[in-house]
Amino acid sequence: MTRKILIALSLASLCFLPAWRDILDPATNKNIYYARSDPRWIELLAVTCNILLVSALLFPVVSVALRAGRGLAATAARVALLGVALFTLNALRVQFDLLYFPNLAAKLGRAGAVLLVLALLAAIAFAALRLGLARLTAGVAAAYLILSPFTLVAYAQAIMMSARYVGKLTPAASAAPARRAGAERGARVLWLLFDEMEYRLLFDERPPTLKAPEFDRLLAASLHASHAYPPASYTELSLPALTTGRLVAKAWPEGPSELLIQYDGSNEKVGWTTQPTIFGRITGAGRTVALSGWYHPYCRLFGASLTKCFDGNPVDQSVTDKMFRQAEVSLLTLPRLYRMMPEELRAARLAKGLRAYGTLYSDLMGAAKAYATDPELDLVFVHLQVPHPPNFYDRSQGRFAFERKNSYLDSLALADRALGELRGEMEAAGLWDSTAVLISSDHWWRGKELHDPAGKKPDFNPFWSEEDKALLPEVVDERVPFILKLAGQRQGAAYEQPFNTVLTHDLLLALLRGEIADPAAAAAWLDAHKTIAKSPYYQLEAGGLHLPQ
């Protein structure tokens, strides 16, 4: 009895190798940086439930398969047990990039890869004929009995890896005091950063189907740059650069509350939290800062320098949801199964991810509106996840849409709506005209770089629409918007000189000190402080987009 239970548990555990990889991979520490709670505990609970459920289903199969005799039930049980064993081997196969069929075909040629697969199947069939189904099944069961300690070792390793983070993922309370008595009042600034917003589609090549009245209205009364370039091609590098005023060459999440960065021209790794940032400089001068942002755990990192803070990422913490996710990922390791998935299941999978992003957007906007209309705050930094894919807005109906594939244009329309809502709230509070507003982005839309026309990234492609594919440029355009509305400004002005937005840090300090009063002064400041234009740090995150799991 014990032997059969161990075999069933071993088989069940190895069916969820992709889940174990996520839990045990040291790279999971990177995901801990983005999480609100340690993902390993919820993943462990989910995989435990899955293992117990599957092993309960497998136990009678193992019992019948190992029983002496030949009957139909015994044959069916042995075939089923061997099938589960092959499933676990396939789950092991996909842990190695070389063993993906497209990669094998690239190495061996398509015919060679097909012959290799057929040879393996022929070897299994030969073993079954040579040994007999009963002996082969007994041998496979013995192998999985030997492998049964894997589960205990995996649990021990996961618990040890997670124990170091107990109590360390709670967001730090905003600890910066209110404005210090006697501190210079200076200007008030709203810094609005739209994630992955490019200049080309919003302004130069805007399709007729996209309306952006709020951006057009803002441009008519702002200094707007036509050749602004971000510090890097992805958020992990751009935000440290924008907040410190120095180009960042590399970044590594280090546990839940630190991002190690390496500055341009340096070989030294330093913690982002140990560096002078715009937040610390302002609160150090006795003034106030509030932040509403996504992706980075801003409140854990900079809570001591923030008067108010809200951050978040689209994280699903339901055990049931995690169980379904683990089962889905394991099943999708089977060749071609993803392409055979019914459209209804694909739509449900899509809607689930989109709802997480929609909830995050609403939470971020709620905090942003509260901070933007608080007259006691000197700098309000808002880092919104739109128009970063996935896209959960339908511009034709002006509503969130989780049941369909929306496009990047839909998300640009949502960004325009967000700008209008923030402006409306500030106008109602009597703060819009007296606040300097700086709008930009951390990087452009990376559709051309991240789009996978061959469909080899099933976790990414479901969020792409046909309209997205039609929008891809021939040549990547790295420009981002850079729009500066000064307090009391009524007339628009264009700035056409190329520059890198890494100077945002210094510009914000100059604005808050009241050193820039009109568009001419802002243009002169940009002339005096601009250095490079395009960033040398053009690369993509490993694994592509940071999507909800």
Side-chain angles (χ1 to χ4, degrees):
M1 175 71 76
T2 302
R3 173 171 167 266
K4 294 174 182 177
I5 290 174
L6 288 175
I7 293 170
L9 283 170
S10 181
L11 278 166
S13 183
L14 293 173
C15 283
F16 295 96
L17 268 177
W20 281 119
R21 177 176 178 173
D22 287 344
I23 294 168
L24 299 178
D25 189 345
T28 301
N29 291 342
K30 175 177 178 178
N31 293 331
I32 285 174
Y33 172 81
Y34 304 102
R36 290 185 177 181
S37 60
D38 190 339
R40 283 199 181 96
W41 296 117
I42 197 77
E43 293 280 2
L44 266 177
L45 184 54
V47 80
T48 300
C49 294
N50 275 326
I51 290 171
L52 291 175
L53 178 62
V54 173
S55 60
L57 296 173
L58 285 176
F59 177 75
V61 175
V62 172
S63 299
V64 174
L66 297 182
R67 187 183 302 159
R70 293 188 177 182
L72 180 61
T75 300
R78 288 161 188 161
V79 170
L81 189 148
L82 291 175
V84 175
L86 285 175
F87 180 85
T88 65
L89 291 177
N90 180 68
L92 177 63
R93 173 189 68 86
V94 298
Q95 308 308 312
F96 303 94
D97 288 342
L98 177 62
L99 298 182
Y100 275 86
F101 187 82
N103 297 333
L104 279 176
K107 290 281 186 182
L108 306 176
R110 186 172 182 82
V114 170
L115 285 174
L116 178 61
V117 172
L118 291 176
L120 289 173
L121 294 175
I124 293 170
F126 176 78
L129 291 172
R130 179 76 175 176
L131 298 174
L133 195 57
R135 289 179 62 193
L136 179 61
T137 303
V140 168
Y144 280 88
L145 180 63
I146 294 170
L147 291 173
S148 59
F150 162 81
T151 303
L152 287 178
V153 172
Y155 272 104
Q157 185 178 353
I159 291 170
M160 286 189 294
M161 293 174 78
S162 291
R164 61 191 294 194
Y165 299 122
V166 171
K168 295 182 180 180
L169 280 93
T170 303
S174 301
R179 187 182 293 108
R180 189 171 64 219
E184 181 183 354
R185 185 72 187 220
R188 182 178 191 268
V189 177
L190 168 64
W191 179 16
L192 183 52
L193 200 70
F194 287 101
D195 205 299
E196 195 150 333
M197 177 180 280
E198 71 170 29
Y199 183 89
R200 175 184 67 97
L201 285 173
L202 188 57
F203 297 114
D204 272 5
E205 300 176 20
R206 184 189 300 172
T209 59
L210 173 63
K211 308 299 179 185
E214 295 299 335
F215 278 102
D216 292 339
R217 180 160 69 127
L218 183 62
L219 252 62
S222 302
L223 177 72
H224 47 278
S226 57
H227 289 83
Y229 296 90
S233 59
Y234 63 104
T235 309
E236 211 162 73
L237 294 189
S238 280
L239 265 298
L242 291 169
T243 55
T244 62
R246 299 175 62 183
L247 285 175
V248 173
K250 296 180 181 178
W252 304 265
E254 183 72 9
S257 303
E258 187 59 275
L259 182 75
L260 295 180
I261 59 176
Q262 182 178 312
Y263 287 120
D264 176 52
S266 171
N267 293 321
E268 182 185 7
K269 294 180 183 179
V270 296
W272 186 13
T273 64
T274 69
Q275 301 303 293
T277 66
I278 186 70
F279 312 127
R281 292 183 189 276
I282 293 173
T283 54
R287 304 185 69 186
T288 54
V289 183
L291 186 154
S292 174
W294 88 303
Y295 198 83
H296 289 288
Y298 293 108
C299 302
R300 284 203 301 265
L301 298 178
F302 303 111
S305 298
L306 301 170
T307 308
K308 295 182 179 181
C309 183
F310 174 81
D311 62 18
N313 266 320
V315 180
D316 186 353
Q317 293 294 325
S318 163
V319 175
T320 303
D321 287 336
K322 288 292 184 184
M323 288 177 64
F324 277 109
R325 173 66 177 172
Q326 290 173 354
E328 179 186 60
V329 170
S330 292
L331 287 171
L332 290 180
T333 62
L334 291 173
R336 312 294 295 180
L337 186 60
Y338 178 78
R339 298 182 185 278
M340 298 166 58
M341 185 185 295
E343 189 59 38
E344 293 78 10
L345 287 179
R346 293 194 188 200
R349 194 169 183 261
L350 172 69
K352 183 177 178 56
L354 294 182
R355 284 194 181 91
Y357 271 77
T359 299
L360 172 64
Y361 170 81
S362 297
D363 292 343
L364 290 171
M365 280 295 291
K369 290 175 182 177
Y371 301 160
T373 54
D374 185 344
E376 294 304 311
L377 296 171
D378 296 303
L379 172 65
V380 176
F381 174 49
V382 178
H383 178 198
L384 284 180
Q385 93 268 31
V386 294
H388 191 300
N391 312 298
F392 52 90
Y393 186 73
D394 180 353
R395 68 186 189 278
S396 65
Q397 299 186 40
R399 66 173 183 87
F400 289 178
F402 307 127
E403 71 284 352
R404 49 158 281 182
K405 291 183 180 181
N406 308 289
S407 79
Y408 181 71
L409 293 186
D410 290 303
S411 286
L412 284 176
L414 179 57
D416 187 76
R417 170 175 156 173
L419 172 59
E421 290 181 1
L422 281 170
R423 178 171 184 164
E425 295 279 343
M426 294 175 70
E427 286 176 337
L431 291 173
W432 175 261
D433 194 54
S434 60
T435 301
V437 178
L438 176 61
I439 295 177
S440 190
S441 181
D442 54 347
H443 54 79
W444 62 95
W445 180 47
R446 300 159 303 173
K448 189 172 180 66
E449 299 97 312
L450 289 175
H451 176 56
D452 177 22
K456 298 174 186 175
K457 299 175 185 175
D459 279 336
F460 177 73
N461 272 341
F463 297 102
W464 280 78
S465 69
E466 292 302 315
E467 187 171 54
D468 283 320
K469 298 172 188 176
L471 294 170
L472 298 179
E474 290 295 325
V475 178
V476 173
D477 190 334
E478 299 174 38
R479 294 176 299 162
V480 296
F482 193 87
I483 306 167
L484 175 61
K485 180 206 75 76
L486 297 168
Q489 185 173 349
R490 297 288 186 273
Q491 298 295 321
Y495 186 83
E496 299 180 354
Q497 296 299 313
F499 66 94
N500 193 281
T501 61
V502 69
L503 54 69
T504 297
H505 170 276
D506 294 344
L507 175 62
L508 288 171
L509 290 176
L511 285 171
L512 288 159
R513 289 193 297 260
E515 297 173 2
I516 301 173
D518 55 55
W525 191 96
L526 290 173
D527 286 337
H529 293 83
K530 63 185 176 64
T531 52
I532 66 168
K534 290 186 178 182
S535 171
Y537 302 111
Y538 180 103
Q539 52 188 312
L540 297 174
E541 305 101 311
L545 299 178
H546 184 61
L547 296 179
Q549 296 298 312

